[in-house]
Amino acid sequence: MLKRRIIICLDVKDGRTTKGVKFQNNLDIGDPVDMAAEYYRQGVDELVFYDIMASANGRGPILDLIARVASQVFIPFCVGGGIGSLDDIRATILAGAEKVSLNSQAVKHPELIRDGARVFGNQCMVLGMDVSRDDDMPSGYRVYINGGRVATDLDALEWAQKAVELGAGEIVLNSIDTDGTRDGYELALTRMIAESVSVPVIASGGGGRPEHLVSVLTDGKAQAALIASMVHSGEYTVRGIKEALDKANVPVRL
């Protein structure tokens, strides 16, 4: 059986790691380079770095910071935020990323997924999705961009399927409603998307205890779980989380 992955997310604002709840009230929690090195030492499977202000501020990725983080980790490293062209993708990969995550820019320029997949391969192209419950949408969920600040007319399920058709090799599915709450993932949302696309879905938003990861990796059908607050707080370590998953018969790399 395929091993399930534990992925830690570093949300970065003005060069510092930050964390909020439901995309609001963000606090500075440390240096992303130091934090990346520590989580690599703990045995995390992958690392995701999101520049949460890049798209909103209309700028590209911070390549020197990406390179400094990449120098500390020898695991798959995904970078998102402000990547709006093939040149941005190329520069980000050359700075040390294995994958790029397109979120706002993918909505504004869907052809970037297709072109990026053609040039760099589907495995490099990750669709980032920030979604929130909305009964007006066919699936019950609406897509948001610019760090969750701007609502779109896109239905979450339709957009996920279209992005995979365009060439996205993976989806990071973040629930705005549960983000940072540590009350558990959006299982219905995760399961709906995971069962409707042919690529791995990474659940994001709401992980607070190991049992939340067990639920989303089994009932939620996710291939990986993204965590932030539960390890940033120091309450849990990667090793401790993996041991709990192993005890629950969820296959992980120990």
Side-chain angles (χ1 to χ4, degrees):
M1 184 181 289
L2 279 176
K3 296 282 197 291
R4 298 296 184 254
R5 291 171 286 151
I6 304 303
I7 303 173
I8 290 180
C9 177
L10 301 177
D11 285 334
V12 176
K13 179 182 179 183
D14 301 326
R16 299 282 294 176
T17 307
T18 183
K19 196 72 193 86
V21 176
K22 299 185 180 182
F23 286 34
Q24 296 179 357
N25 303 317
N26 284 65
L27 300 174
D28 182 321
I29 58 171
D31 177 73
V33 180
D34 293 341
M35 294 175 74
E38 170 60 20
Y39 292 138
Y40 174 68
R41 188 191 65 77
Q42 289 185 20
V44 71
D45 297 309
E46 296 188 23
L47 194 70
V48 175
F49 171 113
Y50 287 135
D51 186 331
I52 63 170
M53 295 303 295
S55 289
N57 291 340
R59 62 166 170 76
I62 307 173
L63 297 174
D64 61 330
L65 182 57
I66 292 166
R68 287 167 55 214
V69 172
S71 72
Q72 299 299 311
V73 300
F74 303 92
I75 49 175
F77 176 39
C78 180
V79 172
I83 298 172
S85 68
L86 289 179
D87 286 343
D88 286 339
I89 297 173
R90 183 177 291 106
T92 301
I93 292 171
L94 288 173
E98 279 78 24
K99 309 175 187 179
V100 296
S101 179
L102 303 179
N103 188 321
S104 303
Q105 296 299 329
V107 169
K108 296 170 184 175
H109 308 287
E111 69 280 358
L112 187 57
I113 302 173
R114 181 194 63 223
D115 295 345
R118 188 187 72 245
V119 175
F120 303 102
N122 299 68
Q123 79 285 349
C124 287
M125 307 306 297
V126 178
L127 176 72
M129 292 177 59
D130 294 323
V131 307
S132 183
R133 284 187 290 271
D134 190 326
D135 292 337
D136 291 336
M137 306 307 288
S139 70
Y141 296 89
R142 184 185 296 273
V143 175
Y144 284 71
I145 60 171
N146 288 3
R149 298 173 188 82
V150 178
T152 74
D153 293 329
L154 293 174
D155 176 76
L157 179 58
E158 291 176 10
W159 175 228
Q161 292 172 329
K162 179 180 178 183
V164 171
E165 288 175 11
L166 286 167
E170 202 164 59
I171 294 174
V172 175
L173 178 63
N174 189 48
S175 167
I176 295 172
D177 303 305
T178 60
D179 180 80
T181 63
R182 301 183 64 180
D183 290 332
Y185 297 89
E186 257 284 22
L187 294 183
L189 166 67
T190 307
R191 184 167 51 245
M192 175 181 67
I193 301 295
E195 291 180 338
S196 302
V197 297
S198 57
V199 302
V201 170
I202 300 166
S204 173
R209 301 193 304 274
E211 51 264 42
H212 294 155
L213 281 78
V214 172
S215 295
V216 82
L217 293 170
T218 54
D219 296 344
K221 308 293 186 184
Q223 288 291 317
L226 189 146
I227 55 176
S229 300
M230 64 187 293
V231 285
H232 294 341
S233 67
E235 187 174 350
Y236 294 97
T237 64
V238 174
R239 179 76 187 185
I241 293 167
K242 285 189 172 185
E243 288 175 348
L245 293 176
D246 182 60
K247 191 175 291 187
N249 298 314
V250 177
V252 292
R253 294 182 186 86
L254 287 171

